[in-house]
Amino acid sequence: MMAMFRSFVSAQQHGGGGSGPLGAPGESIESQFSCPICLEVYHKPVSVAGCGHTFCGECLQPCLQVSSPLCPLCRVSFDPKKVERSSSVEKQLSSFKAPCRGCCKKVSLMKMRSHISSCSKVQEQIANCPKFVPVLPTSQPIPSNIPNRSTFVCPFCGARNLDQQELVKHCMENHRNDPSKVVCPVCSAMPWGDPSYKSSNFLQHLLHRHKFSYDTFVVDYQNTPPIFS
């Protein structure tokens, strides 16, 4: 399936998003008209304005729930109001036939999904697929001295289970005028923190150092779209 997906992506990039049976040499017609999200033949296909990539209407729905959606294939931003039903792809689905992956009967691409769901050969192949075996629990002991860096205790009143931003909000609402010198629970939980150091102005320290979580500024390179394309 991943090989099919890679070849489909290549066809999308060089052939215009599944607009015709002109994929890579040796590529099946079915794979040329497969949605890059569900990897099945298009169902009620829609096209994204701008990049022109095509998806099943239902598969693209989650992307349309955000204010500034990105194309799931090329990560280019698009206007959700400019997603249109792809009548040209629907016509091609009706025009072309491909062999069923189970019984090898030639079926119209438009009817391929319903055929596969009722094909006994395909169902037999699915039944014979290797079963998923969950990983057994580890026998290694879990260290008990791992510091908690997710939630913190208010150094003024002892309120517990506050994440970093909740701690800032809690202290600003309840301890704004408290002059006590206290140890910052966020800093003391870090490897470089000094658990004995008391801040002379804890609220200012919170606002300057811990208004945002550290992971707010950590770049996830695996999920960040490339700067240059």
Side-chain angles (χ1 to χ4, degrees), residues 149 186-195 209 214:
R149 298 192 180 111
V186 181
C187 289
S188 62
M190 299 300 166
W192 60 83
D194 182 355
R209 293 292 300 274
Y214 287 112

Side-chain angles (χ1 to χ4, degrees), residues 126-166:
I126 295 174
N128 292 331
C129 285
K131 304 298 181 182
F132 171 74
V133 179
V135 177
L136 296 175
T138 178
S139 59
Q140 297 293 323
I142 299 176
S144 59
N145 60 345
I146 299 177
N148 177 13
R149 298 192 180 111
S150 300
T151 59
F152 308 96
V153 177
C154 172
F156 292 112
C157 66
R160 307 179 68 85
N161 298 321
L162 301 170
D163 66 23
Q164 198 162 300
Q165 294 185 34
E166 289 171 343

